[in-house]
Amino acid sequence: MRAVVWTGHLHFGLVVMPVSLFAAARPESTRFKRIHRRKKPVGRALPEPLSYLHTGQHEATSPGSQYPLSRAQESTGMETYDSNGASGNTEYEYSAVRQVLQSGVTGEEVRPEELVKGYEYGPDQFAIIDPGAIDRAAVETSDTIDLFHFVKGDEVDPIYFERSYYMAPEAGGEKAYALLLEAMRKDGYFGIARIGMHKREHMVILRPTENCMVAHTMFYVNEVRRVPEFEVDRSLINERELRVARALMEGYAGVFEPEKFKDIYQERIKNIIHEELSRAPQDTPAAPVRPEAMVPDLMESIRMSLAQIESQKGSRQPKPIRKSATPASSPKKKKQKVLA
């Protein structure tokens, strides 16, 4: 289900259409938590093991123990020596950690009520700012997108695109939306609009695609880093070399297919996690599985269910239809058995 981040109206002259914005893309990464590991005190009962992933997955455990064990320990035993030189296997206990704010001068812990907001205008020189003044400076979220300008799409440098949102029509705005989309698409225009959202005013670039409008919040000029100061000396290039370079480029030309590009690093991280989880004893509680990992099993279950229904339909076809006092009740019971 799409997550709508804004709902309101698009204003273009006297044309008003209800629209909504929802995120078009978001980064994905595997998150880890920092965990405190220390040697298990002798004779001390340990609490339930804590997860080291935000998904609730647990580290592998040692045989006969419910407490997490690192891969290095599990593979080598990690022998340690006490003060008398006797060797033995080290067991660890794990706990979550919290960050403590400390004074940069005294090193003392700072309580939340002692915090204020300030701007450092010089080394260790601060201007303390009233939080109320900051709140008053915030821009209220508007209920309209004001479309006030059109530019040719090939004049817009994509470097100004910040975040991308799909702009979808709401009930009653479908025809106006389709008309504006088609007109912009055929003439190669992008729209420039403004919107109040997330406590600030955003300039928005409306870009038509084949089937919908995409809204890009725009970086302001002062937010875009300047091109490094160097000049390309085109006098170094001759026509023959340019033809060869263009021919080489044509040899590698193809269709843009983003589904073929994979995040190799994230795939390797997931493999490491799955390998670590596979080392856990079989009698431990199953770790929560991500939704994407459940999709293949779900699809297989659906296929098996459909195959079962088809086989039962085939087995019922040769049988003659029997009349009964309640003809609708029997098929319903059979259908319930199939779904169960």
Side-chain angles (χ1 to χ4, degrees):
M1 183 178 180
R2 69 189 190 189
V4 177
V5 299
W6 183 89
T7 301
H9 293 81
L10 175 66
H11 283 204
F12 168 45
L14 298 178
V15 177
V16 179
M17 68 185 80
V19 295
S20 61
L21 300 179
F22 57 100
R26 61 183 179 185
E28 291 188 3
S29 62
T30 303
R31 296 173 55 196
F32 294 94
K33 288 186 176 180
R34 292 186 297 177
I35 300 297
H36 178 212
R37 182 181 72 175
R38 66 175 180 176
K39 293 181 181 180
K40 174 184 174 183
V42 178
R44 178 180 172 184
L46 293 178
E48 290 297 321
L50 296 173
S51 66
Y52 72 109
L53 288 175
H54 74 289
T55 56
Q57 297 168 332
H58 291 81
E59 288 181 319
T61 57
S62 60
S65 172
Q66 64 174 339
Y67 304 113
L69 193 64
S70 69
R71 180 181 299 177
Q73 286 178 278
E74 190 178 18
S75 60
T76 64
M78 288 193 67
E79 284 196 340
T80 58
Y81 296 88
D82 58 22
S83 58
N84 297 323
S87 64
N89 291 331
T90 301
E91 291 186 346
Y92 292 105
E93 62 179 354
Y94 296 79
S95 61
V97 297
R98 64 182 180 90
Q99 290 184 330
V100 178
L101 297 177
Q102 293 179 317
S103 170
V105 178
T106 65
E108 296 176 344
E109 183 175 349
V110 177
R111 296 189 297 271
E113 61 270 18
E114 297 175 329
L115 295 174
V116 296
K117 286 191 175 182
Y119 177 78
E120 186 174 11
Y121 61 89
D124 295 328
Q125 293 180 307
F126 306 96
I128 304 304
I129 306 299
D130 179 14
I134 298 176
D135 293 337
R136 289 190 295 271
V139 176
E140 293 184 1
T141 299
S142 62
D143 58 359
T144 62
I145 298 177
D146 294 316
L147 177 56
F148 63 90
H149 191 46
F150 287 95
V151 296
K152 285 293 185 179
D154 54 10
E155 297 178 358
V156 179
D157 190 337
I159 199 172
Y160 287 98
F161 293 170
E162 183 190 15
R163 294 186 179 181
S164 301
Y165 301 91
Y166 290 122
M167 189 173 73
E170 294 292 320
E174 295 88 351
K175 183 174 182 179
Y177 181 94
L179 183 62
L180 179 62
L181 172 66
E182 189 65 11
M184 292 174 61
R185 192 180 67 84
K186 284 188 174 298
D187 292 339
Y189 275 113
F190 286 3
I192 307 296
R194 62 170 62 92
I195 181 177
M197 186 172 60
H198 303 154
K199 295 185 177 181
R200 59 179 294 192
E201 183 182 65
H202 294 271
M203 302 306 297
V204 177
I205 299 173
L206 300 180
R207 179 175 60 88
T209 64
E210 186 68 26
N211 298 314
C212 70
M213 196 87 71
V214 180
H216 304 277
T217 53
M218 191 181 87
F219 285 113
Y220 291 101
V221 172
N222 61 300
E223 296 175 321
V224 176
R225 295 178 179 177
R226 297 297 182 184
V227 178
E229 295 182 358
F230 65 87
E231 294 183 1
V232 176
D233 187 359
R234 291 183 173 81
S235 64
L236 300 175
I237 305 171
N238 59 56
E239 285 299 323
R240 185 182 64 82
E241 293 171 336
L242 183 59
R243 286 195 300 270
V244 172
R246 294 177 66 181
L248 179 62
M249 183 176 63
E250 288 294 332
Y252 283 95
V255 179
F256 179 58
E257 299 174 305
E259 64 275 5
K260 291 186 176 181
F261 309 133
K262 306 297 182 180
D263 189 339
I264 298 177
Y265 173 75
Q266 286 300 321
E267 289 185 352
R268 290 175 179 174
I269 291 296
K270 289 180 180 179
N271 289 337
I272 292 172
I273 293 173
H274 291 316
E275 181 181 347
E276 187 72 23
L277 294 175
S278 66
R279 302 166 71 90
Q282 297 299 320
D283 56 350
T284 57
V289 182
R290 285 179 173 272
E292 59 263 28
M294 297 173 61
V295 171
D297 295 337
L298 176 62
M299 296 305 298
E300 183 63 25
S301 300
I302 293 175
R303 284 193 291 267
M304 292 176 63
S305 300
L306 291 175
Q308 184 180 13
I309 293 173
E310 291 297 327
S311 64
Q312 291 183 2
K313 285 183 178 179
S315 62
R316 290 199 298 265
Q317 285 178 356
K319 296 180 181 180
I321 300 176
R322 297 180 180 179
K323 297 182 179 179
S324 61
T326 56
S329 60
S330 179
K332 287 183 179 178
K333 290 182 179 179
K334 290 183 179 181
K335 187 175 183 181
Q336 291 174 355
K337 290 181 180 179
V338 172
L339 293 176

